[in-house]
């Protein structure tokens, strides 16, 4: 990812947080529609956390208004989505809260790696400092998600078996 200045880097970071928020919100809505309320609430909480991260970026940058989001960007990730965006196929209508946290953990680890790679690249010192700070923030998120996972029971064997799966309408 070419990063000519701090403004563009932070706009990308902001876009990344918005994308993660949007995907978690989609998952929450889909799981709510499948009456999987516990996991829907878990994803709604994760979406709120990502929205707070985006808000913090705006406040840190002291942008008088929201930045123009960068044009569609082909992220260097499987599926071409942002490093912190969960893939569409990660969701299962019978998933358990633990699964939501596994998804969040993968996303936070990917975001941490992304920011570490920016910090290790040939970028301006202000961008390197911001990337290091964001990588550390993602490391803290990884720790928090792992702690959260310790308090949520792993799914039982056969969690995805449904004797009456939803119809396809065909």
């Amino acid at each position: 990812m070419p990063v000519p200045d701090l403004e563009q880097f932070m706009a990308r970071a902001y876009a990344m947080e918005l994308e993660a928020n949007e995907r978690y919100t989609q998952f929450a809505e889909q799981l709510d529609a499948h009456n999987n309320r516990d996991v829907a609430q878990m994803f709604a909480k994760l979406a709120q956390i990502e929205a707070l991260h985006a808000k913090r970026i705006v406040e840190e940058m002291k942008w008088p208004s929201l930045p123009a989001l960068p044009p569609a960007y082909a992220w260097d990730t499987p599926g071409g989505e942002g490093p912190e965006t969960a893939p569409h196929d990660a969701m299962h209508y019978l998933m358990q809260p633990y699964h939501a946290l596994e998804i969040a953990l993968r996303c936070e680890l990917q975001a941490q790696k992304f920011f570490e790679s920016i910090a290790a690249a040939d970028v301006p010192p202000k961008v390197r400092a911001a990337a290091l700070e964001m990588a550390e923030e993602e490391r803290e998120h990884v720790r928090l998600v792992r702690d959260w996972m310790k308090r949520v029971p792993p799914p039982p064997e056969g969690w995805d078996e449904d004797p009456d799966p939803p119809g396809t309408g065909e």
Side-chain angles (χ1 to χ4, degrees):
M1 173 174 118
V3 183
D5 62 24
L6 182 63
E7 193 79 18
Q8 182 179 357
F9 170 73
M10 294 304 284
R12 289 270 179 230
Y14 176 71
M16 194 167 106
E17 299 294 354
L18 290 181
E19 288 174 16
N21 166 271
E22 183 179 326
R23 184 59 47 81
Y24 285 147
T25 298
Q26 290 169 350
F27 283 2
E29 291 168 355
Q30 290 171 358
L31 287 161
D32 191 55
H34 284 289
N35 295 314
N36 191 340
R37 303 280 193 270
D38 290 343
V39 184
Q41 289 174 357
M42 178 79 65
F43 278 120
K45 178 68 175 167
L46 291 167
Q48 290 172 348
I49 291 168
E50 298 302 338
L52 288 173
H53 296 165
K55 182 180 179 204
R56 187 187 58 74
I57 289 171
V58 171
E59 290 168 355
E60 268 186 30
M61 292 301 293
K62 296 179 174 68
W63 287 323
S65 61
L66 296 180
L69 292 178
Y73 182 73
W75 295 97
D76 187 18
T77 61
E81 296 190 297
E84 203 167 11
T85 303
H88 279 288
D89 64 357
M91 199 214 53
H92 187 286
Y93 71 101
L94 294 177
M95 67 192 320
Q96 306 288 306
Y98 192 87
H99 294 118
L101 292 172
E102 285 180 320
I103 291 169
L105 180 61
R106 279 193 307 271
C107 291
E108 297 297 338
L109 286 166
Q110 289 169 185
Q112 176 187 332
K113 182 179 176 184
F114 171 76
F115 289 123
E116 288 171 345
S117 71
I118 297 296
D122 184 20
V123 294
K126 286 183 179 182
V127 172
R128 179 172 291 105
L132 287 170
E133 181 180 325
M134 295 185 102
E136 180 54 39
E137 185 177 294
E138 297 300 340
R139 267 191 290 286
E140 180 58 25
H141 298 165
V142 167
R143 285 190 287 274
L144 291 171
V145 171
R146 284 183 170 147
D147 286 345
W148 200 354
M149 290 176 84
K150 291 175 188 173
R151 298 188 303 268
V152 175
E157 189 74 30
W159 64 268
D160 57 348
E161 295 172 9
D162 186 354
D164 186 22
T168 61
E170 294 177 357

